[in-house]
Each structure stands twice: as structure tokens, then as C-alpha cells.
Amino acid sequence: QVQLVEAGGGLVQPGGSMRLSCVASGRTSNSYAMGWFRQAPGKEREFVAAISWSSGGGTHYADSVKGRFTISRDYAKNTAYLQMTSLEPEDTAVYYCAADRYIATMLYSSQAMEYWGKGTLVTVSS
């Protein structure tokens, strides 16, 4: 059993930066891959970034955010982060944290995701 709580959303100007956090709780939270998804008004939820459960594991990014966003995790704090830079109005969305036993779920079958957070709203506007 894993519970996820996001924080850090809000209003930011175009070109600005923002860091989101996702705190995971539960006995096996340190054995799960973690990721971020987002859903803009009138659009379907889409993949943003993912990171492996292992310390030497890799990361994956959607083409739309590659080079601008960075995903990381702190095992001691059971927390995942999404550092966002060069933000654009098109990045406006509700951002959801997710966790699953396999990182492949993040990339290929998000409908089978084991755990989701409730989301945090990011608004990019001048």
C-alpha cells in the first residue's frame, strides 16, 4: 500500500521555474518506480517523466519537456521531485504523481497504474 501527496503547484510567469514534490508513504514505497503525468483543460492525461526505483536506474521524459524538466528522488525522504524550467503557457495543467512496481507501466500502460496522487495545479501565465 502506497499513498502519494503532491505539493508545489501555483502561478508562475512564462520562462520561470517551479519545483513539484511528491511524498510517498507506505511500507514498500522505496521499491516503486515514480513518475509525473499532467492533464490540461479539455485534454487527456499525458506522460511527463519517470524515474526507476533503483538508485542506478534511468529516467524518461516526454519529448515536449525534454531539456526543460528534471525528475529526481530522495530515498531518505521518500520523495520524488519535478524541477521545471523555461515554463510555457502550454505547460498549464494539473500535475499528478504516480507510482508503480515497473517503470514500463509509466511508459506503455498508465491505465494499469497502481497508485495515483490527487494532483496539483500549475498555471503558467503573465
Side-chain angles (χ1 to χ4, degrees):
Q1 180 69 263
V2 175
Q3 296 80 43
L4 306 174
V5 179
E6 303 99 330
L11 177 65
V12 62
Q13 296 185 83
S17 300
M18 179 175 286
R19 187 179 74 162
L20 306 181
S21 64
C22 174
V23 179
S25 61
R27 293 174 59 186
T28 61
S29 60
N30 64 334
S31 299
Y32 282 76
M34 300 187 71
W36 291 92
F37 290 72
R38 67 186 183 185
Q39 186 169 22
K43 301 184 67 176
E44 296 184 354
R45 188 175 300 187
E46 65 175 350
F47 169 77
V48 175
I51 187 168
S52 174
W53 65 266
S54 62
S55 59
T59 56
H60 300 265
Y61 298 93
D63 289 341
S64 60
V65 306
K66 194 171 299 181
R68 298 189 298 122
F69 291 10
T70 302
I71 187 171
S72 62
R73 66 191 301 170
D74 186 328
Y75 288 97
K77 297 180 179 179
N78 294 319
T79 301
Y81 302 95
L82 184 68
Q83 180 65 53
M84 305 181 292
T85 63
S86 301
L87 284 163
E88 307 167 352
E90 292 74 21
D91 295 316
T92 296
V94 175
Y95 284 71
Y96 297 90
C97 181
D100 196 272
R101 194 176 311 164
Y102 304 106
I103 196 169
T105 303
M106 308 281 177
L107 306 176
Y108 309 118
S109 55
S110 61
Q111 69 276 11
M113 195 75 66
E114 293 187 61
Y115 303 102
W116 290 100
K118 295 296 179 63
T120 184
L121 177 63
V122 174
T123 302
V124 185
S125 176
S126 59

